[in-house]
Structures are given as structure tokens and as C-alpha cells.
Amino acid sequence: MLTPSRHLLALLLGLVVTAGILAAKAPTEGKSYEYVLIEKTANRLYITEGNTKFEERKLKEEIKDVHNQGQLFKLVNEFEARGYEVYATNQVGYTNSYGTTVGSTFLLRKSR
């Protein structure tokens, strides 16, 4: 059983280790990235590259299942081939005229 002073020491050691891990993962000073945001709704893909380019693509009509993510993954792979890496993802459920569906978002980045 840990005494109160050892418990405090263990807690402080844990905080120091956590801070070290976070510091090691933090981006270095002056590093900048180019970002791409891809959002898929039931029948559209929205692509934002940096702060200058925006594109909306209607998904192919033959896709009957709004949960089919194939075209989204294909587009993500195209950006990965251009040097981008997936930095964050998110999915949200919502209801629209197509019924209940899932919207997916991918944030990609690459060093400048």
C-alpha cells in the first residue's frame, strides 16, 4: 500500500512522464503545414485545400447506400499519394431528406 508521500511521488512522476511525452509529440517551432479538409455527406464530397480552393463533388448515382465510404477513401488515398497524411477524422450522425445518415470528415496535412 502506498503511503500518502509515495502516492504523491507516484502522481508527480506520472505527470512528468506525461508532460515529456506531450512535449516530444508537439510540433517544433516554425514548422508549418498545408491542410486539406474532406467532408462526405449522404450524396456529396466537399474538399477544401488550404484557404484558397474549394470543390464540391456530387457522388455517383449508382451508390444506393449512403453509408458507402468507398469514394471518400479513394479520395483520401489520392491525397496521401500527394504526400498528405491523415491528421484527424470525425463522424457525426444526422437526419436529412435521405433519412438518418453519417457524415465523415478527414483532416489531412503535409509539411510545407
Side-chain angles (χ1 to χ4, degrees):
M1 182 171 186
L2 291 177
T3 63
S5 62
R6 286 188 181 217
H7 183 69
L8 181 59
L9 181 62
L11 179 63
L12 289 174
L13 182 60
L15 289 173
V16 168
V17 169
T18 302
I21 290 170
L22 291 174
K25 292 183 116 184
T28 58
E29 186 86 20
K31 194 166 190 178
S32 64
Y33 297 94
E34 294 178 27
Y35 289 95
V36 172
L37 181 70
I38 303 170
E39 180 183 0
K40 180 191 176 287
T41 61
N43 63 348
R44 299 207 189 298
L45 283 171
Y46 301 96
I47 305 132
T48 305
E49 291 186 59
N51 60 356
T52 58
K53 186 176 178 186
F54 175 78
E55 180 182 353
E56 178 182 347
R57 294 184 190 174
K58 187 171 172 112
L59 296 176
K60 294 180 180 176
E61 294 296 330
E62 70 256 16
I63 295 180
K64 302 295 184 208
D65 184 356
V66 295
H67 298 286
N68 184 332
Q69 304 294 318
Q71 291 185 28
L72 172 64
F73 295 145
K74 182 179 177 186
L75 184 59
V76 168
N77 288 337
E78 289 173 14
F79 278 98
E80 286 177 326
R82 290 173 40 190
Y84 286 88
E85 65 178 348
V86 174
Y87 183 64
T89 63
N90 189 26
Q91 286 193 319
V92 62
Y94 60 92
T95 302
N96 61 18
S97 60
Y98 296 98
T100 301
T101 189
V102 174
S104 300
T105 303
F106 279 72
L107 179 63
L108 298 99
R109 73 178 187 180
K110 73 176 178 178
S111 294
R112 291 182 192 236

